[in-house]
């Protein structure tokens, strides 16, 4: 067990869609940290990730929970449902991360510890010390461009506005109108940051090593990229 998280209780919310090979590895990594709990939000994955999550709940009673979603699937919708549940729990910090091991569970204590520097802590690929391993040039360029684009349109100052590895003070999340969010895909992550900073939230960034998924398939479709291109404009037009 790592002592770095000893003072703060954290709950990690992880959305899953077809992550059967990755989820057990992620849980094993997270359970190394004392005072860390996990909520899996599964979107009725056709590959049986939900049943694997059920088995993990049994193995780690009281530390791992699962929410089985039905109906329309979506990353943003899953986060809204999962985060609303998380806010009700007695925890200090609520974290978000991907299930595909791109976000290393070993780096979580550093993110949690940084909540004394910000209301939200971003695990950032684009601050000194941050890096991306095994991404083809095309993916690197897309992510770089997406960040410049988002920062230009929204005036957000964080270096990595699209990172899905984050920790929030519970009260900050609890004060956010999650039900009124307009994004559903990956742009949901940008909207969270935008809403938090508009109401005075402080952002801190700590470097992470992001590793391309080894198992399972990416869900980054053309439709997702298109939605992400429109979303920053919808955000600023709502506020003007
Ligand atoms: N519940 C839920 N989870 C989703 C959905 N789409 C993606 N996810 C999860 O969100 C996380 C990020 O999705 P990825 O497919 O890894 O997206 P990505 O990281 O941009 O793409 P890669 O870098 O190619 O892996 C993973 O844990 C996915 O399983 C969805 O519609 N519903
Ligand atoms: Mg991924």
């Amino acid at each position: 067990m790592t002592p770095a998280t000893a003072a703060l209780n954290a709950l990690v919310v992880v959305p899953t869609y077809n992550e059967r090979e990755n989820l057990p590895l992620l849980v094993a990594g997270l359970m190394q940290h004392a005072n860390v709990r996990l909520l899996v939000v599964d979107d009725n994955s056709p590959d049986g990730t939900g049943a694997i999550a059920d088995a993990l709940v049994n193995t780690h009673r009281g530390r791992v929970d699962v929410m089985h979603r039905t109906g329309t699937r979506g990353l943003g919708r899953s986060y809204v449902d999962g985060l609303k549940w998380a806010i009700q729990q007695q925890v200090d910090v609520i974290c978000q991360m991907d299930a595909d091991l791109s976000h290393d569970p070993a780096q979580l204590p550093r993110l949690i510890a940084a909540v004394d520097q910000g209301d939200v802590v971003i695990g950032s690929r684009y601050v000194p010390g941050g890096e991306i391993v095994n991404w083809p040039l095309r993916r690197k360029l897309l992510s770089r461009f997406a960040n410049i684009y988002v920062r230009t349109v929204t005036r957000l100052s964080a270096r990595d506005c699209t990172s899905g590895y984050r920790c929030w003070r519970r009260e900050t999340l609890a004060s956010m109108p999650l039900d009124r969010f307009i994004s559903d895909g990956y742009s949901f992550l940008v909207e969270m940051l935008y809403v938090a900073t508009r109401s005075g939230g402080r952002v801190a960034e700590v470097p992470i090593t992001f590793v391309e998924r080894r198992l399972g398939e990416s869900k980054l479709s053309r439709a997702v990229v298109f939605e992400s291109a429109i979303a920053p404009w919808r955000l600023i037009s709502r506020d003007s």
Side-chain angles (χ1 to χ4, degrees):
M1 296 269 173
T2 36
T5 57
L8 295 168
N9 290 308
L11 171 58
V12 185
V13 178
V14 176
T16 55
Y17 190 72
N18 289 349
E19 303 286 2
R20 61 173 299 144
E21 294 153 298
N22 290 315
L23 187 60
L25 301 173
L26 177 78
V27 171
L30 288 174
M31 292 298 103
Q32 297 298 310
H33 307 308
N35 303 336
V36 169
R37 289 168 54 192
L38 169 66
L39 173 68
V40 178
V41 187
D42 186 61
D43 246 341
N44 204 11
S45 299
D47 76 345
T49 301
I52 289 168
D54 285 335
L56 290 163
V57 169
N58 273 325
T59 312
H60 303 281
R61 278 246 161 253
R63 292 192 67 194
V64 177
D65 288 278
V66 59
M67 179 182 283
H68 296 282
R69 294 190 74 253
T70 51
T72 316
R73 96 170 166 93
L75 184 65
R77 291 164 211 268
S78 297
Y79 264 133
V80 170
D81 292 350
L83 294 172
K84 278 164 67 177
W85 186 91
I87 288 162
Q88 304 304 319
Q89 307 300 307
Q90 288 202 333
V91 290
D92 307 301
V93 179
I94 296 172
C95 311
Q96 304 175 262
M97 70 191 286
D98 293 351
D100 60 2
L101 304 174
S102 286
H103 300 148
D104 182 357
Q107 299 190 324
L108 185 67
R110 267 199 306 117
L111 265 75
I112 295 173
V115 292
D116 61 351
Q117 293 156 42
D119 301 304
V120 53
V121 177
I122 303 175
S124 178
R125 296 161 289 186
Y126 304 128
V127 291
E131 58 177 330
I132 297 175
V133 176
N134 286 345
W135 254 8
L137 183 63
R138 188 180 50 82
R139 255 332 268 279
K140 278 192 183 150
L141 290 175
L142 179 65
S143 173
R144 274 288 187 182
F145 173 77
N147 262 290
I148 294 168
Y149 180 77
V150 164
R151 294 174 72 230
T152 307
V153 177
T154 60
R155 304 274 175 102
L156 278 165
S157 57
R159 307 303 307 181
D160 195 345
C161 297
T162 57
S163 169
Y165 202 2
R166 298 175 178 177
C167 293
W168 297 82
R169 289 173 173 276
R170 195 190 64 80
E171 314 85 71
T172 305
L173 267 187
S175 70
M176 284 167 57
L178 294 171
D179 278 324
R180 293 211 297 275
F181 274 42
I182 53 177
S183 321
D184 187 33
Y186 294 74
S187 43
F188 181 82
L189 294 167
V190 175
E191 184 165 1
M192 288 186 83
L193 219 47
Y194 185 78
V195 171
T197 52
R198 292 286 286 200
S199 49
R202 296 168 308 140
V203 179
E205 287 184 272
V206 301
I208 57 160
T209 301
F210 179 100
V211 184
E212 166 67 327
R213 66 158 74 235
R214 293 200 187 90
L215 304 167
E217 278 171 23
S218 169
K219 284 107 217 167
L220 190 72
S221 64
R222 264 183 208 180
V224 165
V225 174
F226 183 73
E227 194 223 354
S228 309
I230 303 293
W233 297 102
R234 291 173 68 202
L235 285 180
I236 60 165
S237 62
R238 180 183 56 183
D239 283 358
S240 58

